[in-house]
Amino acid sequence: MIEFQLQTLLEARHVVVFTGAGVSAESGIPTFRDALTGLWSRFDPAALATPEAFRKDPALVWGWYEWRRSKVLAASPNAAHLAIAELARRVPKLTVITQNVDDLHERAGSRDVIHLHGSLHAPRCFACTRPYAGSLDPLNEPEEGRSLEPPRCHRCNGKIRPGVVWFGESLPAQAWREAMAAAEDCDLLLSIGTSGLVQPAAQIPRMARARGATVVHVNLQPESVEGDNEFSLVGRAAEILPGLLGGGEKKYCE
Ligand code: OAD
């Protein structure tokens, strides 16, 4: 049986924590691909998460993302987010790379989080791409599926779009460069709560492994692993991550 030694975690020079929707699941934020509860099992991504969808029905798309933003505003970081921020205080260097568009890592205390898929909290103009200069309503009574007219750009009067990466769009160039550099530099990468199905983000753990880093997956589902420097820890992120930090001599088994 292969075992992931906790000592490996604490002796790492540079830890990369690569997260997906599963890390926020226990804060009440739905994932995308989990059966029944995942957003993409209930909503059509082509109608909501593409530039074409926004052109066709901007109010439908804006309303959907505002509903999601309201869920994030009402949520709090969970024990997994907090453990990641704590781990950063215990190792020489830690970089958080997230595919999530929420701000729960930041609210847990993580710094300089790399957002590969943008943010619900950074809307910008669909026409001129400038960041939105106005403020968004707090949305006290969100309704799923409610259309909402997007605000207008203060500069060009274009429609404001959510600051997230849609299907068919490129990742933010600087975030991608920084993520690749961290993946190539780290000696340990924790891949937490991601299905690893969306490219190019899914390359990040592979890049780290190709450079010799140990890769540890934390997921409700077992991951298939190769070699003696890849591990799969099966369970809830909010349970496993605090356990890793407080684990002392404990060993986690594949
Ligand atoms: P997915 O919904 O594809 O995958 C979530 C993963 O988290 C699954 O593998 C679950 O088994 C796991 N999971 C669920 N709850 C968990 C828990 N409590 N603890 C640990 N693991 C848990 O979400 P992502 O991989 O993040 O893109 O999806 C990647 C991208 O696809 C998203 O960033 C989004 C989406 O389309 C954009 O918005 C551009």
Side-chain angles (χ1 to χ4, degrees), residues 19 96-106 112-121 163 165 171-176 178-179:
T19 62
V96 179
I97 305 172
T98 190
Q99 299 165 85
N100 297 344
V101 293
D102 64 48
D103 61 352
L104 296 177
H105 283 302
E106 286 89 343
D112 303 324
V113 177
I114 300 173
H115 281 269
L116 288 182
H117 291 165
S119 166
L120 288 171
H121 308 284
V165 176
L171 303 195
Q174 193 184 341
W176 180 241
E178 288 174 5

Side-chain angles (χ1 to χ4, degrees), residues 73-237:
L73 289 178
S76 301
N78 65 51
H81 298 106
L82 294 168
I84 292 162
E86 171 59 23
L87 180 59
R89 292 187 271 273
R90 299 205 200 168
V91 295
K93 185 173 181 190
L94 184 141
T95 307
V96 179
I97 305 172
T98 190
Q99 299 165 85
N100 297 344
V101 293
D102 64 48
D103 61 352
L104 296 177
H105 283 302
E106 286 89 343
R107 282 201 262 148
S110 288
R111 302 260 189 99
D112 303 324
V113 177
I114 300 173
H115 281 269
L116 288 182
H117 291 165
S119 166
L120 288 171
H121 308 284
R124 63 177 189 272
C125 179
F126 188 65
C128 75
T129 76
R130 285 193 187 91
Y132 179 48
S135 56
L136 298 174
D137 289 335
L139 276 185
N140 293 327
E141 290 179 27
E143 269 177 56
E144 188 178 316
R146 182 184 64 162
S147 289
L148 199 63
E149 275 306 318
R152 293 287 184 154
C153 177
H154 291 68
R155 295 282 198 102
C156 76
N157 203 37
K159 289 178 181 142
I160 296 298
R161 58 162 284 175
V164 303
V165 176
W166 283 328
F167 290 101
E169 293 186 317
S170 303
L171 303 195
Q174 193 184 341
W176 180 241
R177 268 196 305 274
E178 288 174 5
M180 281 196 300
E184 289 175 355
D185 180 63
C186 72
D187 47 354
L188 174 67
L189 183 142
L190 305 177
S191 175
I192 303 168
T194 177
S195 58
L197 291 173
V198 173
Q199 300 293 351
Q203 292 301 319
I204 291 294
R206 280 164 221 164
M207 281 179 199
R209 256 199 97 226
R211 289 291 188 110
T214 296
V215 171
V216 181
H217 303 273
V218 177
N219 202 298
L220 293 179
Q221 311 292 334
E223 294 280 333
S224 61
V225 295
E226 291 167 20
D228 58 5
N229 66 341
E230 190 173 20
F231 302 91
S232 169
L233 308 183
V234 180
R236 300 186 303 117

